Amino acid sequence: MVPSRTLTPPGQGKGRTQGLSEAQLQSYNDDGYLIIPNALDASTTASLLQETRHMLSSFSIDDHPMTKFSTGENDKAHVGDDYFLTSGDKIRFFFEEDAFDGSTGALLKPKHQAINKIGHYLHALNPAFRDSTLTPTNAGIARSLGFRDPRVLQSMVICKQPEIGGRVPPHQDSTFLYTNPPSAVGFWIALEDATAENGCLSFAKGSHRRSPIKSRFVRKQDGQGTEFVDVEGARFPQDFVVEEKEQEQEVYTIEEVKAGTLVLIHGNLLHKSEKNLSGKSRFIYTFHVIEGENEYDKRSWLQPPERGFSRLYE
């Protein structure tokens, strides 16, 4: 585990905060990710987990399109229906593929145990998640990382349900939230302990410096669904030092973390998680930050709300 120091829990800081230490910033720059234990205190973490469970138990499936979240593995189409594409300024619920009977389509799990994720505007529409996102602490982190106008988007709870929580293959966040040049950083917060058994994250250390963003996830030209297209713009962040050649096969480091831990993830970094076959869930909250001064075009699958993506700086 990388060296860390405990930051002021989000929502409790006042004014501008220092952000990352020199050691933390160096570790992030070297590895492409940074683990910060106790970034959220136990009370805040428990409150967000309780709010998540309330949302899962109270949403209605009577008028739900039963959209399943698919990562596109095994030649399956990546999720891309209207319910998904119009979720950028809403709170919506996406089902696990394995929550359904493959032959009949019947739901096999209670709804609160069948959801893959909740998204993608929690940081604006839900007060509990807003108070843990748009904070001086997170603004201080963004300043440490060199953001001039950090904008928050794609906030979501990923559930990794017991026994059916889906595998997420190796990917780079800037593929899905592409700016020209790339600028995405993921803020990933464990609401429960994340272990090898319930599907914690694994990282290809240093891959952010050798793995360009070659494709991006966009809306199809006819507006019907999504697809991956080749990147025509920059493939690494502005003024970024590319130190190594691409590797045909990356080595991944498993990182188990405790509830309340924040993990910062560079947009070019390859990372993944395995299927949750255990009897314990692995709930996490994540949001992403992009540079507001960089180009973010209309082909991106996630389009900004009418007032634009949320500003992190006051």
Side-chain angles (χ1 to χ4, degrees):
M1 188 172 290
V2 297
S4 302
R5 74 174 172 85
T6 302
L7 296 178
T8 303
Q12 295 186 10
K14 295 183 179 180
R16 292 184 59 155
T17 58
Q18 182 179 352
L20 302 177
S21 68
E22 289 186 11
Q24 286 177 313
L25 191 57
Q26 185 64 55
S27 185
Y28 174 82
N29 288 334
D30 289 345
D31 295 339
Y33 68 100
L34 177 68
I35 297 174
I36 306 174
N38 304 313
L40 288 189
D41 61 33
S43 176
T44 302
T45 303
S47 177
L48 293 181
L49 186 58
Q50 181 180 13
E51 179 64 19
T52 297
R53 297 197 186 285
H54 171 72
M55 288 190 290
L56 288 172
S57 63
S58 61
F59 84 97
S60 173
I61 60 173
D62 294 339
D63 56 351
H64 196 289
M66 308 303 279
T67 298
K68 304 169 191 173
F69 184 77
S70 170
T71 60
E73 276 199 294
N74 302 320
D75 296 324
K76 294 181 180 178
H78 200 291
V79 63
D81 65 1
D82 186 68
Y83 183 80
F84 175 75
L85 290 175
T86 58
S87 64
D89 59 354
K90 300 175 182 67
I91 297 176
R92 288 184 168 170
F93 300 80
F94 302 91
F95 284 88
E96 280 284 359
E97 292 183 286
D98 287 352
F100 297 86
D101 185 288
S103 57
T104 68
L107 192 61
L108 299 174
K109 299 280 187 179
K111 66 177 185 178
H112 68 279
Q113 294 180 347
I115 292 298
N116 170 287
K117 71 174 182 175
I118 308 170
H120 292 99
Y121 207 39
L122 287 168
H123 70 276
L125 297 181
N126 185 288
F129 286 96
R130 182 177 61 238
D131 290 348
S132 291
T133 306
L134 305 178
T135 68
T137 295
N138 291 333
I141 291 172
R143 286 191 182 92
S144 296
L145 297 177
F147 280 95
R148 299 178 297 277
D149 179 20
R151 300 298 185 103
V152 176
L153 70 168
Q154 194 181 248
S155 54
M156 52 192 175
V157 170
I158 300 176
C159 299
K160 278 278 188 184
Q161 299 283 3
E163 301 175 348
I164 62 169
R167 175 181 183 267
V168 179
H171 67 283
Q172 299 158 292
D173 288 348
S174 282
T175 295
F176 299 90
L177 300 171
Y178 180 78
T179 61
N180 187 19
S183 62
V185 174
F187 286 59
W188 187 101
I189 304 168
L191 302 183
E192 300 179 296
D193 292 352
T195 68
E197 287 72 30
N198 69 5
C200 66
L201 291 178
S202 298
F203 302 93
K205 283 188 177 183
S207 60
H208 63 308
R209 293 198 174 274
R210 57 181 174 265
S211 299
I213 305 301
K214 296 180 178 179
S215 65
R216 49 183 298 222
F217 185 59
V218 300
R219 298 171 181 235
K220 290 184 177 179
Q221 296 281 23
D222 61 6
Q224 302 299 312
T226 55
E227 62 182 347
F228 290 92
V229 299
D230 291 341
V231 166
E232 297 178 354
R235 296 186 170 194
F236 285 97
Q238 186 174 358
D239 301 324
F240 197 66
V241 178
V242 181
E243 296 181 345
E244 304 177 47
K245 294 182 179 180
E246 277 190 272
Q247 296 185 7
E248 291 186 10
Q249 187 167 358
E250 293 283 357
V251 175
Y252 285 82
T253 301
I254 296 173
E255 294 285 10
E256 297 184 318
V257 299
K258 294 292 187 182
T261 298
L262 167 64
V263 185
L264 301 175
I265 306 171
H266 191 285
N268 278 61
L269 185 78
L270 287 161
H271 58 289
K272 64 178 183 175
S273 65
E274 300 304 323
K275 187 167 183 174
N276 181 10
L277 298 176
S278 77
K280 295 182 178 180
S281 58
R282 191 225 65 181
F283 284 21
I284 68 97
Y285 171 58
T286 184
F287 61 92
H288 296 79
V289 173
I290 59 171
E291 177 52 64
E293 295 184 4
N294 292 5
E295 177 189 10
Y296 186 93
D297 67 27
K298 293 186 179 299
R299 287 218 66 189
S300 297
W301 81 268
L302 179 66
Q303 287 299 301
E306 187 175 339
R307 55 178 149 174
F309 292 130
S310 306
R311 292 180 182 272
L312 191 50
Y313 295 163
E314 295 180 358

